[in-house]
């Protein structure tokens, strides 16, 4: 046993922290929320497309309605002249009558066309109502996914805070130079730079140390860092 046992304890705890961090980075609630958000965006695109079709039909209908009003006003004007008593020539009266009839025919044509457009608007309105209902459902899913992610993040965050506080406690018992060496080596050994010397084996690389290396390690003062000659890990003996 040596003072390096605390360092091993620190390493074990850092492995736990790494696992918590990994869980934090890969919370399944995150892609679930992304999917829900994408589904809302997809239905929004369909709504925009259907709405623009509806707007175009509505513009057509408005244009026809305006045209109907114009033709109708013109027909009324002709009608007033026709029956106003100011025109007496039969030839002229006949011309006005024909003009009036032609305007009324034109008005009916425009009105028929307007009805056709209104009939085309109906299914688009139904489509829009369906999409709106679909959007409400998807929006509710997204909201619950947002809540679920926030809860998961908060839980794993609390877990990490607690683990970090405990790490600080453990680290306080380890000499600063050991921590410095450990922190420096950690990235090179996938977070596990400290190994145990078990008999003549390194528990990190599982290789047997040479007799010379073992002798050298045995001769070290207890507070000196021993290193595995095979893998470079710090050996706790
Ligand atoms: Zn080794």
């Amino acid at each position: 046993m040596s003072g390096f046992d605390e360092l091993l304890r620190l390493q074990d705890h850092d492995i736990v922290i790494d696992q918590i961090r990994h869980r934090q980075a890969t919370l399944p609630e995150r892609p679930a929320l992304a999917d829900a958000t994408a589904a809302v965006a997809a239905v929004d695109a369909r709504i925009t497309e259907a709405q623009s079709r509806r707007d175009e039909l509505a513009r057509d209908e408005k244009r026809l309605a305006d045209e109907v009003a114009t033709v109708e006003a013109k027909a009324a004007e002709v009608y007033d002249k026709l029956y106003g008593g100011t025109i007496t020539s039969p030839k002229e009266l006949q011309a006005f009558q024909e003009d009036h009839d032609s305007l009324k025919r034109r008005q009916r044509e425009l009105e028929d066309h307007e009805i056709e457009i209104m009939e085309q608007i109906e299914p688009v309105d139904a489509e829009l109502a369906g999409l709106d209902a679909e959007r409400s459902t998807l929006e509710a899913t997204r909201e619950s996914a947002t809540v679920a992610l926030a809860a998961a993040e908060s839980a794993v965050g609390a877990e990490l805070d607690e683990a970090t506080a405990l790490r600080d406690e453990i680290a306080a018992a380890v000499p600063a130079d050991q921590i410095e060496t450990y922190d420096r080596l950690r990235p090179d050994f996938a977070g596990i730079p400290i190994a145990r010397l078990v008999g003549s084996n390194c528990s990190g690389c599982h290789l047997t140390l040479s007799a010379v290396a073992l002798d050298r390690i045995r001769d070290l003062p207890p507070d000196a860092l021993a290193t595995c000659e095979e893998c470079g890990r710090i050996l706790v003996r």
Side-chain angles (χ1 to χ4, degrees), residues 195 201-207 209 227-233 235:
N201 287 315
C202 163
S203 73
C205 63
H206 305 291
L207 293 173
L209 275 75
T227 307
C228 168
E229 60 175 1
E230 299 292 342
C231 67
R233 286 187 177 85
L235 283 174

Side-chain angles (χ1 to χ4, degrees), residues 3 13 24 76 102 109 121 148 169 179 197 208-209 226 228:
H13 194 69
Q24 188 180 43
S102 145
E109 274 169 23
I121 289 177
E169 266 177 50
I179 297 248
L197 182 61
T208 305
L209 275 75
C228 168

Side-chain angles (χ1 to χ4, degrees), residues 21-42:
R21 285 220 173 91
H22 177 73
R23 258 195 294 128
Q24 188 180 43
T26 57
L27 287 174
E29 287 83 358
R30 208 168 285 125
L33 175 59
D35 287 351
T37 304
V40 171

Side-chain angles (χ1 to χ4, degrees), residues 103-146:
L103 284 166
K104 279 303 188 191
R105 267 199 306 280
R106 176 73 187 136
Q107 183 185 338
R108 274 193 300 277
E109 274 169 23
L110 290 167
E111 280 169 347
D112 286 350
H113 195 184
E114 193 187 349
I115 288 166
E116 275 170 33
I117 300 287
M118 284 158 91
E119 281 167 358
Q120 287 177 43
I121 289 177
E122 267 174 45
V124 180
D125 277 344
E127 187 186 343
L128 277 166
L131 286 169
D132 203 43
E134 203 179 319
R135 195 196 189 281
S136 297
T137 308
L138 292 170
E139 183 56 40
T141 305
R142 174 167 69 171
E143 272 164 29
S144 52
T146 305

Side-chain angles (χ1 to χ4, degrees), residues 7-23:
L7 195 54
L8 259 180
R9 217 186 135 205
L10 182 69
Q11 175 171 274
D12 287 345
H13 194 69
D14 277 344
I15 292 167
V16 171
I17 289 180
D18 285 347
Q19 287 162 351
I20 298 172
R21 285 220 173 91
H22 177 73
R23 258 195 294 128

Side-chain angles (χ1 to χ4, degrees), residues 3 10 18 30-31 44 50 56 73 82-83 87 91-92 102 106 141 145 157 166 175 188 192 207 217-218:
L10 182 69
D18 285 347
R30 208 168 285 125
D44 276 346
E56 202 183 327
L82 193 55
Y83 295 103
I87 302 161
K91 211 177 166 189
E92 217 178 331
S102 145
R106 176 73 187 136
T141 305
L166 182 55
D188 299 336
I192 312 177
L207 293 173
I217 289 169
R218 222 164 275 139

